[in-house]
Amino acid sequence: MSCDPLSPYPEAARYRRTPDEVMRLSRLGLSHPTRLSFLRVLLRRMRDEAWHFTRPVFEFDARGVGRAVYCAEGPERTYSLVAFGHDLPPDARTDRVIATAWDATFCLFDGVPDADDLARLDANVPLQEAGRVSSKELSLSRANRSVRLFEHVVGALSQGRQPDADALAATGYLMRTTAVYGSGKFGAASHASIAARPEMSAPFQAEMLSVWMIRAFTVDLVEDMARHRGGDKAVRLDPQLKRSLGVGNSTGLGMAPFLVRHPSLLNNWIMVREEALARVRSLRQAGQAEVAAFRAALSAAQDNAAVWDSTHLLQVERLNDLRTGLTTLENHVANHWQPQADHPWNALWLWGNAHLPFEAQEALLALLLEPHGAIVDDLAACLHADEAKAFAIDGAMTVAEVKTLLADHYAWALGRDYSGQADCARFWYVSEDKLEPRLGERFDEPGGDQELPLDIARRASALELALRGRKADEPIAKLLLKAPTHRPMVRRVQTTKSFPFSEIRDNLISEDLLPIDMLRCKLAFFGASRFDPRSDRWVRISLFQNCPYPDTLSGDMGS
Amino acid sequence: MDRVSEAVTDSVALSLPEVSSLALRAARGAGYPWGLCEDCGFAAAWLAERGIHWSQPLLRRLTGPRGAKVRPAPDKWASDGPICALVAGVTLADFATLPEGPGESGVTLGRVLDPVFLVPFLTFAAERTGQAYEGVNDGRPWLHVSSSGLAVAQDVSGLEVADVALRPTAAIDASHQILTPCAPEPISNETYARLDALALRMTVPATAASAKRAGASGSDND
């Protein structure tokens, strides 16, 4: 991480976890959102810079058909969410990427759209993948209603009463996005073109801003539909109930390969989180305010774990681990932990490693960061990566150096038999219908000949075999000239030299792979909560639950 | 000078990530090994970002002759015929600081197919060696590359084959124009359709089983 030499906490280095410990899916798949998650980074910046929010356009009929514009004005630039509401028959409602119609469609516009812009967007945004946007747009997205809750809320509000709190808690959102496209998709501006803007330099800030304003839109829409239906009888949603709502999200395999295709970016995300943990562990003392904030965060995490529900067997087990682990942690903190002792946070972390299941250990990581914004929040500036810099291969690197890097960073992948079913049961490919990544069963399905190069473990092993017998001082360029098939792997191996957390250290084509572990890792960095797998390949989550709205951002968050 | 300037109708404006993705997938669909496909995607986006025509040369490269085997050697590379600019480009970058590379004295590559695809990789070489290079075709300079700038002196994108020699040089000719990053210009629908057709060859049709695993079963009306 480029920020490392400038770290004001050099003593933190000896508290860092190693890539071998961190980069396994058995831990990455249990990641929890932290205060360095992307949506938290966005909210802090907007609060600290006193962003101003307006809603210059809001025109909907009783069915929720119409359009709206929400503007977020920062110190230098304004971004606008343009929202279109549609009348979608229930049989057309699907969260899958094959859908062609949605309850609502959105884009994030760079600036404030004029009438011509709105006309252009009206003709394209509702079409989503079948339309085109331009470099004036930063994201393209759509959402479907949670049918039962949406109608329940509109009905209750229209009759002058509040909706059932338990019903709201059970679902947690009025709409769920089924895709939020960013960087360059369907003609939109690339992330690189806006990355120099301070407010857009951290990852996925345009996408997070879109979703946050979509959340405000969903509440405005139910209140507006209730007014259409109930007239003067209608009431607005209670602020506490409103705050408890997030935006749901359905996510499938499409986002899993991202973590593999962006190694230096993944490194920086992980390194930032690990550096933050190490800084907290390195503290010699714990302040009273920090201890109190930690206890409050622990209590909130227990509340969240209590209402976090899933029917997926694996997730049920993990939720059980989380709940019992947090109870064990609560007891230890109340009865045994000594916050006045030397290095108390490190003592707590080491105790957790010895006594808590992985699921609760990773939750403890998030809890330890929570009271320490003063020493970790600056790390958000290190979340981005200049990926172009890591692209060029150093052809002069010797075979011996490449072998050393392989031994240091890919020992987990070497010496295995990738011809047997266990270690190559799956293959990643691109689907013909939606050009989305998919995972096939190699021994049961056709398409293995079009496999994507996500078989990192197998490629590392093949490279190691290819290097055997070559002269130690031979430049790697000679192997690449003879066998260009090794170029992707040599590039990755060389990347690990500067980015040790760049590689998921598990076989991504094995029969044991759980793609949802990759999804949870990425979604936790987004700041997602309520991770709820619907299979081993797609999940539902919630974003921005219990976070402020544009009209309550100032002075909120406690962070 | 190869800036895109003509008005293009019946065209599609791709973002840089779309250019990169299309070029990568088209190269794979055309049968190039993954190692070169990644470099192809990078090179196409690099050219597009600098306003240099990339789509037609790419189409030629992916549908035309693959080129002879490259045999790098100090001062002058050997081959049994014209060589592919993509292969030559990555080789040039890989060998940049080695005796077979352009180093401090330059190197003659011989006949190169679609030489515009050499340009991005020569910038890698220039960054590695810290040396500026001049590209020469039949004795005439057509390219100047250094770690800080790029100048292209003729319609290199239209050049289907050229004798290429790379010579160290000290300064950029004032008549050359430094190309700075810009938004990619639209490409014709016809070219896009042909590249997209190549790209589709690397996809796999969905099956009922794969759709079900991806979440197609059950209602989403919660």
Side-chain angles (χ1 to χ4, degrees):
Chain A
M1 187 172 65
S2 59
C3 296
D4 192 47
L6 304 176
S7 172
Y9 301 91
E11 66 274 24
R14 71 190 184 96
Y15 292 92
R16 279 191 202 144
R17 295 193 288 184
T18 65
D20 269 335
E21 182 179 3
V22 172
M23 299 308 294
R24 304 302 302 267
L25 283 174
S26 54
R27 274 200 188 273
L28 295 174
L30 304 177
S31 297
H32 287 257
T34 73
R35 62 178 301 123
L36 288 163
S37 295
F38 309 148
L39 68 82
R40 297 279 298 275
V41 172
L42 172 73
L43 291 174
R44 272 199 300 276
R45 173 180 289 278
M46 293 193 301
R47 182 200 61 186
D48 294 346
E49 295 178 349
W51 284 42
H52 181 61
F53 305 97
T54 56
R55 195 187 72 179
V57 178
F58 195 88
E59 305 156 346
F60 289 90
D61 67 16
R63 298 168 301 152
V65 178
R67 66 184 183 181
V69 177
Y70 289 73
C71 298
E73 184 183 348
E76 294 180 55
R77 283 167 285 270
T78 297
Y79 301 93
S80 301
L81 179 79
V82 181
F84 298 95
H86 312 290
D87 188 18
L88 183 66
D91 60 356
R93 185 172 292 111
T94 173
D95 286 3
R96 297 196 60 234
V97 73
I98 58 167
T100 55
W102 303 269
D103 286 315
T105 52
F106 312 90
C107 72
L108 187 69
F109 184 85
D110 191 7
V112 179
D114 61 21
D116 289 343
D117 292 318
L118 285 179
R120 175 176 59 83
L121 296 173
D122 200 353
N124 284 280
V125 171
L127 301 177
Q128 295 284 291
E129 293 96 330
R132 290 292 290 178
V133 289
S134 73
S135 58
K136 287 182 174 181
E137 284 75 56
L138 307 182
S139 82
L140 180 71
S141 53
R142 68 287 190 103
N144 284 334
R145 297 173 185 174
S146 169
V147 177
R148 284 190 294 273
L149 188 64
F150 196 94
E151 174 52 32
H152 169 70
V153 173
V154 172
L157 295 179
S158 71
Q159 294 165 21
R161 56 184 172 80
Q162 291 299 318
D164 178 51
D166 289 340
L168 257 66
T171 300
Y173 55 81
L174 294 166
M175 283 190 179
R176 59 179 176 277
T177 53
T178 64
V180 181
Y181 295 115
S183 190
K185 285 290 186 75
F186 309 108
S190 66
H191 176 68
S193 69
I194 56 171
R197 305 177 184 183
E199 70 275 20
M200 289 292 155
S201 65
F204 293 97
Q205 294 299 279
E207 292 87 341
M208 293 296 107
L209 179 57
S210 298
V211 175
W212 187 61
M213 291 202 281
I214 288 171
R215 175 176 177 242
F217 163 77
T218 65
V219 176
D220 288 354
L221 187 63
V222 290
E223 291 183 339
D224 186 67
M225 290 172 69
R227 273 192 295 274
H228 277 291
R229 193 181 299 181
D232 292 343
K233 262 197 316 187
V235 295
R236 300 189 67 180
L237 188 60
D238 174 81
Q240 286 304 315
L241 293 178
K242 178 177 168 179
R243 188 182 167 90
S244 73
L245 291 172
V247 173
N249 176 265
S250 277
T251 296
L253 282 175
M255 69 159 49
F258 182 95
L259 296 177
V260 187
R261 289 176 178 157
H262 300 273
S264 57
L265 193 60
L266 175 64
N267 174 86
N268 289 2
W269 297 2
I270 301 285
M271 194 99 174
V272 158
R273 189 189 68 184
E274 295 302 314
E275 169 67 10
L277 172 63
R279 286 183 182 184
V280 174
R281 290 177 61 191
S282 74
L283 293 175
R284 290 184 176 279
Q285 297 175 319
Q288 283 187 354
E290 284 76 14
V291 172
F294 172 77
R295 291 179 194 272
L298 173 55
S299 177
Q302 288 181 288
D303 291 345
N304 181 60
V307 296
W308 182 354
D309 198 18
S310 177
T311 55
H312 191 270
L313 279 180
L314 178 62
Q315 188 63 18
V316 168
E317 281 178 30
R318 289 174 172 180
L319 280 172
N320 189 49
D321 279 352
L322 179 63
R323 290 175 189 134
T324 57
L326 290 177
T327 301
T328 305
L329 174 61
E330 180 192 24
N331 289 336
H332 178 74
V333 167
N335 302 312
H336 304 290
W337 181 50
Q338 296 181 313
Q340 295 80 25
D342 186 49
H343 286 89
W345 300 111
N346 186 50
L348 186 56
W349 174 256
L350 294 176
W351 170 86
N353 268 251
H355 296 90
L356 298 176
F358 279 7
E359 175 77 51
Q361 288 179 28
E362 295 305 306
L364 175 58
L365 186 163
L367 293 173
L368 288 176
L369 302 197
E370 202 55 42
H372 291 105
I375 64 167
V376 306
D377 285 352
D378 63 320
L379 288 165
C382 304
L383 286 166
H384 72 282
D386 183 352
E387 296 181 281
K389 278 189 178 171
F391 187 78
I393 288 175
D394 177 7
M397 181 179 277
T398 65
V399 164
E401 286 177 276
V402 175
K403 279 184 171 179
T404 299
L405 287 172
L406 273 169
D408 288 349
H409 297 284
Y410 292 88
W412 53 273
L414 307 181
R416 299 171 69 156
D417 177 13
Y418 292 97
S419 61
Q421 180 152 351
D423 275 330
C424 73
R426 270 82 175 271
F427 67 98
W428 293 85
Y429 64 92
V430 175
S431 71
E432 185 184 57
D433 53 356
K434 281 289 183 178
L435 302 181
E436 285 279 324
R438 294 278 183 269
L439 192 57
E441 302 295 326
R442 189 185 308 278
F443 295 95
D444 298 330
E445 296 174 354
D449 55 333
Q450 301 297 347
E451 182 169 12
L452 295 172
L454 300 178
D455 51 336
I456 306 303
R458 186 169 63 172
R459 284 175 176 270
S461 181
L463 175 60
E464 194 267 340
L465 285 172
L467 292 176
R468 289 183 189 175
R470 299 191 85 89
K471 290 180 181 173
D473 61 351
E474 180 185 284
I476 198 68
K478 294 199 173 179
L479 172 71
L480 296 179
L481 177 67
K482 183 183 171 195
T485 189
H486 292 298
R487 291 189 69 80
M489 200 57 229
V490 167
R491 179 174 285 124
R492 299 186 77 88
V493 172
Q494 292 189 343
T495 299
T496 61
K497 186 177 181 182
S498 303
F499 301 95
F501 291 88
S502 61
E503 200 77 89
I504 295 172
R505 300 190 176 199
D506 271 301
N507 178 11
L508 304 181
I509 57 169
S510 83
E511 62 182 2
D512 298 330
L513 173 74
L514 286 172
I516 50 174
D517 287 339
M518 300 167 77
L519 301 183
R520 180 162 166 189
C521 173
K522 188 178 177 195
L523 289 164
F525 277 101
F526 282 12
S529 57
R530 304 283 188 91
F531 184 83
D532 180 13
R534 295 306 175 103
S535 77
D536 66 347
R537 294 162 201 227
W538 75 286
V539 304
R540 283 190 182 167
I541 49 108
S542 184
L543 292 164
F544 293 106
Q545 263 192 304
N546 297 308
C547 288
Y549 282 82
D551 59 346
T552 58
L553 183 62
S554 173
D556 204 323
M557 292 168 41
S559 58
Chain B
M1 182 61 242
D2 193 48
R3 281 277 192 182
V4 178
S5 57
E6 71 273 29
V8 181
T9 56
D10 299 326
S11 61
V12 56
L14 300 176
S15 67
L16 283 175
E18 286 176 311
V19 170
S20 177
S21 173
L22 177 63
L24 182 152
R25 290 185 292 112
R28 184 60 182 163
Y32 278 77
W34 274 114
L36 286 173
C37 297
E38 288 184 352
D39 290 281
C40 181
F42 157 79
W46 192 97
L47 294 171
E49 189 178 13
R50 286 155 184 82
I52 302 174
H53 284 302
W54 61 275
S55 57
Q56 284 290 343
L58 176 62
L59 194 54
R60 283 200 306 266
R61 194 78 308 280
L62 300 183
T63 57
R66 285 294 169 88
K69 185 177 177 183
V70 177
R71 296 196 295 274
D75 300 325
K76 186 175 182 179
W77 290 9
S79 67
D80 297 326
I83 58 178
C84 167
L86 268 174
V87 176
V90 298
T91 305
L92 196 62
D94 289 351
F95 282 86
T97 58
L98 300 172
E100 298 88 341
E104 295 180 357
S105 56
V107 66
T108 298
L109 305 185
R111 302 279 284 173
V112 177
L113 298 163
D114 302 303
V116 68
F117 271 91
L118 282 175
V119 180
F121 303 103
L122 188 55
T123 63
F124 279 171
E127 284 170 11
R128 286 227 183 274
T129 62
Q131 176 69 58
Y133 296 101
E134 188 177 63
V136 180
N137 175 30
D138 292 334
R140 286 178 296 119
W142 57 277
L143 168 70
H144 183 106
V145 170
S146 70
S147 58
S148 59
L150 165 73
V152 183
Q154 67 184 59
D155 182 14
V156 63
S157 294
L159 217 50
E160 296 188 16
V161 63
D163 279 313
V164 177
L166 302 170
R167 302 280 173 249
T169 184
I172 292 177
D173 187 316
S175 66
H176 294 170
Q177 182 175 344
I178 300 294
L179 300 181
T180 52
C182 62
E185 292 293 325
I187 68 171
S188 76
N189 285 344
E190 183 190 351
T191 303
Y192 176 80
R194 293 185 64 188
L195 288 170
D196 194 46
L198 281 175
L200 274 177
R201 290 188 195 168
M202 57 83 75
T203 64
V204 176
T207 64
S210 68
K212 185 178 179 184
R213 281 197 306 267
S217 60
S219 168
D220 290 318
N221 284 318
D222 69 349

